[in-house]
Amino acid sequence: MKPADSPHPDIRNFSLEELENYFVSIGEKPFRAIQIFEWIYQKSAWGFGTMANLPKELRERLAKDFLCGPNAIAEKKISQEGTTKFLFDLSDREKIESVLIPTQTRTTACISTQAGCKFGCRFCASGIGGWSRNLTCAEIVTQVLHVKEEALKHQKPLTNIVFMGTGEPLDNFDNLFKAIKIINSNKGIGIGARHITISTVGLVPKIKELAKQNLQIELAISLHGYDNESRNLLMPVNRKYPFDDLVAACREHFKQTKRQITFEYILIKDVTCTAKAVQSLKKSFQGIVCKMNLIPYNPVSEFDHKTPSREEMLEFRNQLEGAGIHATIRTPRGRDVAAACGQLRHDSQKSDKADG
Ligand code: SF4
C-alpha cells in the first residue's frame, strides 16, 4: 500500500494548521500542535512515548491515530571526508537516498523528492530504474530529521538543505512546498529559506510558479548544455522545454525575485567543455545574475563519456569568468561511497535483481 493511502497516516504529513484543526476536532487545545512540532522537529522525538508534556491518554490516542517513527535504514556509508550517504527503505519497500555533506563552512542535507525519476538525464543513475511515485511530505521531512540527527552526532548543526537527491522536486510541487514550510518554520526545523535550494531539470511552467511563491528560496537549474543540440544529448526534458524557453523562464524568475540563479553544468570532455559552449552561455545569460557550478563528470557505468583533464576544466572556467559569468569547479565529494545522484539506490536495485 502506498503511504498516501494509509489509514494510519504519518503525523509529519500535517502542517501546523492542520494539526491545530485535528486537536480542536478531538476536543483538545490547538497549542498541542506546537508541542508536537517541537518534539518532532526540534527535540528529535521518534515516537509519542517521550513527549513528556502531553497527558498519557493523549499520547496513547496519538499513537493509535498516527505514525511517527524513523525510516528503516537499509544502508549507511561514510566517505573518508565525512560525507554520509543513507539508503532508506520506505513502508512500500521503495528505496530513497539522502546525503549529509559537511564542509568547513556549512553542513548540508541533500534530500530526495521522488522514488526513482522519470526525467532520465543521461549522466544520472536515478533515472535508470524508472519512476515509482512522489514522496509524501512526511517522507521528505523525515529524511531531513535523519540527516540532522547524524550531523549533530558530529557536533555539526545542519545549516543547509538542497533538493538535489533522487527525483525532480518541482514535479512533486505540493508535497515539496508543504515540506519546505515545515523545514523553514521556526516552530519546525528552522532552516532559513535562503539556506534551502531547489534544483530542477528546468520544468518551465513550474519555474514560473516558483517565482510567485514569494519565498527567498535558492533556485538551481541543471543546465548541462549550452544550446538545444548539446542539452538534448544529456537532458531528454529539453525536448519538452527547449533551451531558449528555459533561458526565458530563468530571465523572468530573476526579474521577479532579483535572486541569483545557480546553474549546474557537468563538464564532459569534448561535449560540454568547449570554447563554443562558453560563447553560447555568455550570449544566453547576459543580464541575469548567475553563477555556474562546474561539475566534473562522474562516470556511470552505463554511459560512455569521459571527464576532461584538470587543465581543460580550468581553461573552461577561466573563459567563462572572462566572459563575465562567475564559475567555480565543484570538488567531487563522496565518490568512494557512490554519492553521485542515485548510485546507491541503483546499486541496491541491481543487487536485489541479482539476488532474485
Ligand atoms: S539528475 Fe535529477 S532529474 Fe535528472 S535523472 Fe537524475 S534524479 Fe532525475
Side-chain angles (χ1 to χ4, degrees):
M1 179 188 290
K2 291 182 181 168
D5 305 327
S6 170
H8 202 53
D10 191 311
I11 198 160
R12 291 157 295 203
N13 275 320
F14 294 83
S15 67
L16 192 62
E17 296 72 26
E18 287 169 337
L19 277 185
E20 282 171 351
N21 291 339
Y22 161 78
F23 282 113
V24 170
S25 77
I26 63 166
E28 281 283 343
K29 296 275 188 251
F31 75 85
R32 296 289 183 206
I34 294 180
Q35 291 179 312
I36 294 285
F37 256 54
E38 284 171 355
W39 277 109
I40 294 176
Y41 300 117
Q42 295 171 10
K43 299 181 197 163
S44 304
W46 289 117
F48 299 104
T50 53
M51 299 183 180
N53 55 355
L54 267 61
K56 187 163 172 281
E57 303 71 48
L58 182 57
R59 282 185 265 150
E60 285 168 1
R61 165 93 194 242
L62 290 169
K64 276 197 198 120
D65 284 357
F66 299 106
L67 299 171
C68 184
N71 284 334
I73 299 175
E75 232 178 300
K76 181 173 146 188
K77 290 189 173 181
I78 305 177
S79 77
Q80 280 173 359
E81 73 270 26
T83 299
T84 304
K85 185 138 192 170
F86 293 92
L87 183 70
F88 296 114
D89 244 332
L90 302 180
S91 56
D92 58 355
R93 306 200 62 205
E94 285 297 337
K95 289 188 168 68
I96 55 165
E97 299 177 10
S98 319
V99 189
L100 164 66
I101 307 160
T103 65
Q104 292 289 342
T105 53
R106 60 180 67 178
T107 306
T108 303
C110 178
I111 301 299
S112 295
T113 51
Q114 297 182 312
C117 187
K118 58 176 93 154
F119 291 91
C121 309
R122 302 274 183 248
F123 49 82
C124 170
S126 291
I128 294 169
W131 179 84
S132 300
R133 64 172 174 86
N134 281 334
L135 298 187
T136 62
C137 168
E139 288 167 339
I140 296 171
V141 294
T142 303
Q143 293 173 68
V144 179
L145 292 174
H146 275 284
V147 175
K148 179 184 160 198
E149 191 175 53
E150 180 73 17
L152 286 174
K153 276 188 207 158
H154 303 279
Q155 285 78 48
K156 291 245 180 192
L158 192 60
T159 59
N160 291 67
I161 308 283
V162 293
F163 290 102
M164 285 186 189
T166 301
E168 161 57 48
L170 295 183
D171 192 43
N172 186 10
F173 203 89
D174 293 344
N175 291 342
L176 172 73
F177 271 88
K178 196 167 192 187
I180 284 178
K181 283 187 180 144
I182 293 172
I183 292 164
N184 179 227
S185 163
N186 58 9
K187 305 271 189 312
I189 298 175
I191 306 272
R194 287 167 188 240
H195 294 219
I196 299 173
T197 302
I198 293 176
S199 175
T200 173
V201 287
L203 304 188
V204 166
K206 299 289 182 187
I207 292 172
K208 294 178 181 171
E209 211 174 320
L210 180 64
K212 292 184 197 140
Q213 293 294 311
N214 206 16
L215 282 168
Q216 299 284 299
I217 288 175
E218 301 292 318
L219 175 64
I221 308 271
S222 297
L223 193 64
H224 309 314
Y226 56 89
D227 61 7
N228 271 333
E229 199 185 336
S230 59
R231 200 160 187 264
N232 280 345
L233 212 59
L234 295 173
M235 308 288 291
V237 71
N238 192 69
R239 294 182 194 277
K240 186 159 185 194
Y241 301 115
F243 185 82
D244 288 346
D245 292 0
L246 176 59
V247 172
C250 291
R251 201 168 285 288
E252 199 179 315
H253 187 278
F254 177 68
K255 208 170 141 195
Q256 284 194 32
T257 64
K258 298 282 177 285
R259 298 197 61 75
Q260 170 179 271
I261 298 175
T262 300
F263 292 106
E264 307 287 339
Y265 190 93
I266 291 187
L267 294 173
I268 301 176
K269 189 174 173 65
D270 299 332
V271 179
T272 59
C273 187
T274 63
K276 186 180 169 196
V278 174
Q279 288 316 312
S280 172
L281 293 170
K282 179 184 174 189
K283 195 165 148 237
S284 299
F285 295 112
Q286 234 159 26
I288 300 177
V289 176
C290 64
K291 69 173 180 188
M292 291 268 167
N293 257 343
L294 305 175
I295 308 161
Y297 173 65
N298 189 10
V300 172
S301 52
E302 280 77 1
F303 302 110
D304 184 25
H305 293 303
K306 289 194 174 61
T307 312
S309 67
R310 184 80 193 147
E311 292 68 35
E312 287 168 323
M313 292 193 280
L314 287 173
E315 175 61 19
F316 186 79
R317 186 204 60 191
N318 292 344
Q319 283 189 25
L320 276 182
E321 291 272 347
I325 297 176
H326 179 49
T328 51
I329 299 174
R330 187 192 289 174
T331 313
R333 295 180 64 84
R335 279 192 181 190
D336 54 328
V337 291
C341 186
Q343 277 186 2
L344 206 62
R345 179 174 182 271
H346 178 51
D347 292 349
S348 155
Q349 282 177 333
K350 276 204 291 198
S351 61
D352 282 356
K353 277 186 193 149
D355 292 345

